[in-house]
Amino acid sequence: MSIDRHLLLLGLLRAQEMHGYQLNEFIDQQMNFCVDLKRSTAYYLLDKLCRDGYVAEEVEREGNRPERRVYRITPAGEVHFQDLLRQNLSTYVPPVYAEDIGAIFEHHLAAEESLRLLNARREAIQSHRARLEVLHARLPISHTAVIEHHLLHLDAEITWVDQMIAARSTPSPLKIAHHVAPDDPPARHE
Amino acid sequence: MSIDRHLLLLGLLRAQEMHGYQLNEFIDQQMNFCVDLKRSTAYYLLDKLCRDGYVAEEVEREGNRPERRVYRITPAGEVHFQDLLRQNLSTYVPPVYAEDIGAIFEHHLAAEESLRLLNARREAIQSHRARLEVLHARLPISHTAVIEHHLLHLDAEITWVDQMIAARSTPSPLKIAHHVAPDDPPARHE
DNA sequence: AGAGATATACTCAGTTCTGATTATTCAACT
DNA sequence: AGTTGAATAATCAGAACTGAGTATATCTCT
C-alpha cells in the first residue's frame, strides 16, 4: 500500500529535511532490508506529498551546483504523519504471500523435482536469515524490533517449507476422497 | 510482483478455460484470503497474457448475449506456467511488512497511546486468525497448505506484537547510550 | 591538464494497477 | 407489461510505479 510509503517519507522528513537523492541514499543504506522503494518512486512520492501540502519544497543552490529540491514537513504533514502512524499501529493488513500461489500448483510437478525446488528455497530463506543476523549487529538499536520481526517470520517460513517437504516426502498419506479433483475446478454453469 | 499473478492466472486457465468475469468470481470466492487482485487488474492481466501469446482469446456469443472473451492457455503458456512455477517454488522473495514502518516511528507516541493502538492491532490479528480457522473447514483440502502458511505467520505476528507491547510496558529497560538519537538521523554532509 | 570513472541529482516514457462507470441481461414484483 | 434491482461482463481515465536515460560535478590516474 502506498500509504505506508507516505508514512515512511513523512517520518524521515520529520526527523530531518532532505532532498530526494539524500532520502534515497538513506533508505538504500539503512532500510533496504525492510522497504522496497525505487529511487524514481521516491521522487514521485515526494512530488505527490508536495502537491498534497504535506511537505514543502524549496529549491536550493549550493556553490555552482544547479537545482536540488529540499523537502521539509509542513504542519499539515505533521498531523497526517500522526494519523498514518496511528492507523498503521492499530490495524493489521494481511500481506500477500507469493509462495501461496506456488503451493496451490505445486502438485503439478513430479515429487522429486518439487522436493529439489523446495530445498533450494529452504536454503534461500536460511541464507537470507543469516544475512539479517549480520545486519542485526551492524544496524542501530532502533532497527532491532524490525529485525526481530523479520526473524520471526523467517522462522515461520522455514517451518512451513519443512512441512511442505515432509508432506511431499511421504508418498501420499491417505487418499480417501479420490474422486475429488486435486486442483481447483472452477466449473460452474454452462 | 506481477509475475506471481501471471502464474496464478495461467494455473487457473490451465485447469479450465474461462472468461474474465468467471475468473474474477472464482478468485473472489475461493482465493480472496490469499490473493488481492482487483477485477479490473485481472482483465488487464488477461489482455497482457494474450498479447504475450500465453493465452488465446476467443469471442463467445451465447444466445443473444454479445461479448464475452474466453481465454484458454496456449502451448507457450503451458511452458511459461512451468517456468514460473519452478521459479516460485525454488526462490524466496522476502515480503515487505507494513508494520515495520510503524515500528520505526512508534516511539513518537506516548507509551499509553502506543499500547492502546498495539492492543487494537493484536485483536485485529486474532480476529483475522479466527476467520481463517473457519475457512479452514469450509475450503477444499487443496487450500490446507496455504491456510497453514497463513496461520504460522499470524502466530509469528502475534508473538511480535506481544514483544512490542512488553517492551513498551516496562518503562525503559536500560538506557546506556542515552546520547544516541532514538530516531534515524540521516544527517551526513552539509 | 585531460580522460575516464564515479557520484550526485533528477526526469521521462512506458507499464501496471485500480476506482468509477457503462451496458446488457435476467428475475421479481406490482 | 412495465419497472426496479441484482447479476453479468467489461471498459476507461487516472494514479502509482519503475527502468532507462540525462546532465553536471568531482575524483583519480596518468
Side-chain angles (χ1 to χ4, degrees):
Chain A
M1 192 81 92
S2 173
I3 221 65
D4 297 299
R5 294 173 160 198
H6 288 204
L7 174 59
L8 172 65
L9 295 202
L10 287 176
L12 293 179
L13 292 178
R14 189 173 178 276
Q16 155 109 38
E17 71 178 48
M18 276 185 281
H19 57 273
Y21 188 81
Q22 200 178 350
L23 187 87
N24 274 315
E25 284 289 295
F26 183 72
I27 292 175
D28 276 8
Q29 281 161 26
Q30 307 287 313
M31 319 191 72
N32 63 76
F33 76 98
C34 66
V35 307
D36 176 28
L37 183 63
K38 300 300 177 298
R39 291 190 168 230
S40 42
T41 309
Y43 285 112
Y44 165 75
L45 290 173
L46 283 172
D47 186 57
K48 165 79 174 153
L49 287 172
C50 196
R51 292 197 314 272
D52 291 349
Y54 297 131
V55 304
E57 170 185 299
E58 193 187 346
V59 176
E60 195 190 69
R61 181 174 285 274
E62 186 198 347
N64 56 348
R65 286 231 207 84
E67 66 247 73
R68 196 157 87 160
R69 259 79 45 72
V70 174
Y71 296 90
R72 123 190 325 106
I73 195 165
T74 64
E78 175 65 31
V79 171
H80 193 49
F81 168 76
Q82 303 228 355
D83 279 356
L84 294 182
L85 180 54
R86 293 193 173 92
Q87 182 66 23
N88 180 292
L89 289 172
S90 63
T91 60
Y92 176 69
V93 180
V96 170
Y97 297 103
E99 306 86 50
D100 290 346
I101 311 300
I104 290 166
F105 299 119
E106 177 267 341
H107 65 274
H108 289 301
L109 298 177
E112 197 192 354
E113 177 170 25
S114 214
L115 285 171
R116 189 171 55 70
L117 299 171
L118 287 174
N119 273 302
R121 178 192 279 170
R122 193 186 197 284
E123 279 190 46
I125 303 170
Q126 290 280 23
S127 86
H128 181 68
R129 195 187 192 288
R131 249 174 289 132
L132 254 201
E133 297 259 33
V134 172
L135 273 188
H136 206 334
R138 276 198 21 227
L139 288 181
I141 327 99
S142 49
H143 291 57
T144 301
V146 178
I147 304 247
E148 303 275 12
H149 186 213
H150 283 237
L151 291 177
L152 281 168
H153 281 289
L154 283 166
D155 289 340
E157 197 61 28
I158 291 171
T159 302
W160 186 62
V161 174
D162 285 342
Q163 281 180 17
M164 295 261 291
I165 289 173
R168 256 311 203 180
S169 295
T170 57
S172 56
L174 52 147
K175 256 190 181 154
I176 305 153
H178 64 282
H179 64 285
V180 173
D183 210 340
D184 310 297
R188 272 192 312 283
H189 69 96
E190 166 177 48
Chain B
M1 191 84 93
S2 173
I3 220 67
D4 298 298
R5 294 174 159 195
H6 287 205
L7 175 59
L8 172 65
L9 296 203
L10 286 176
L12 293 179
L13 291 178
R14 190 175 179 274
Q16 155 107 39
E17 70 178 50
M18 274 185 281
H19 57 272
Y21 189 82
Q22 200 178 350
L23 187 87
N24 274 315
E25 284 290 293
F26 181 73
I27 292 175
D28 277 7
Q29 282 162 25
Q30 306 287 313
M31 319 191 74
N32 62 78
F33 76 99
C34 66
V35 306
D36 176 26
L37 183 63
K38 300 298 177 298
R39 290 192 169 230
S40 41
T41 307
Y43 285 112
Y44 164 73
L45 289 173
L46 283 172
D47 186 56
K48 165 78 173 152
L49 287 172
C50 198
R51 290 196 315 271
D52 291 349
Y54 298 132
V55 304
E57 170 184 300
E58 193 186 346
V59 176
E60 195 190 69
R61 183 174 283 276
E62 187 197 348
N64 56 348
R65 288 228 207 87
E67 69 248 74
R68 200 158 85 157
R69 260 80 41 73
V70 175
Y71 296 89
R72 124 190 325 107
I73 195 165
T74 64
E78 174 65 30
V79 170
H80 193 49
F81 167 78
Q82 302 228 356
D83 281 355
L84 294 180
L85 179 55
R86 292 193 173 92
Q87 182 67 22
N88 179 293
L89 289 173
S90 63
T91 61
Y92 176 68
V93 181
V96 170
Y97 297 103
E99 306 87 47
D100 290 346
I101 310 299
I104 289 165
F105 300 119
E106 177 265 341
H107 65 274
H108 289 302
L109 299 177
E112 199 191 355
E113 179 171 24
S114 213
L115 286 170
R116 190 170 54 69
L117 298 171
L118 287 173
N119 274 302
R121 179 191 280 171
R122 192 188 198 283
E123 279 190 48
I125 303 170
Q126 288 281 22
S127 88
H128 181 68
R129 195 188 194 289
R131 247 174 290 130
L132 255 200
E133 297 258 34
V134 172
L135 273 189
H136 206 337
R138 275 197 23 224
L139 288 180
I141 324 98
S142 49
H143 290 58
T144 300
V146 178
I147 304 247
E148 304 275 13
H149 186 214
H150 284 237
L151 291 177
L152 281 169
H153 282 288
L154 284 167
D155 289 340
E157 197 62 28
I158 291 170
T159 301
W160 185 63
V161 175
D162 285 343
Q163 282 180 15
M164 297 261 290
I165 289 172
R168 254 313 204 181
S169 295
T170 57
S172 56
L174 50 148
K175 255 190 183 155
I176 305 155
H178 64 282
H179 64 283
V180 173
D183 208 340
D184 309 297
R188 270 189 315 283
H189 72 97
E190 164 176 60

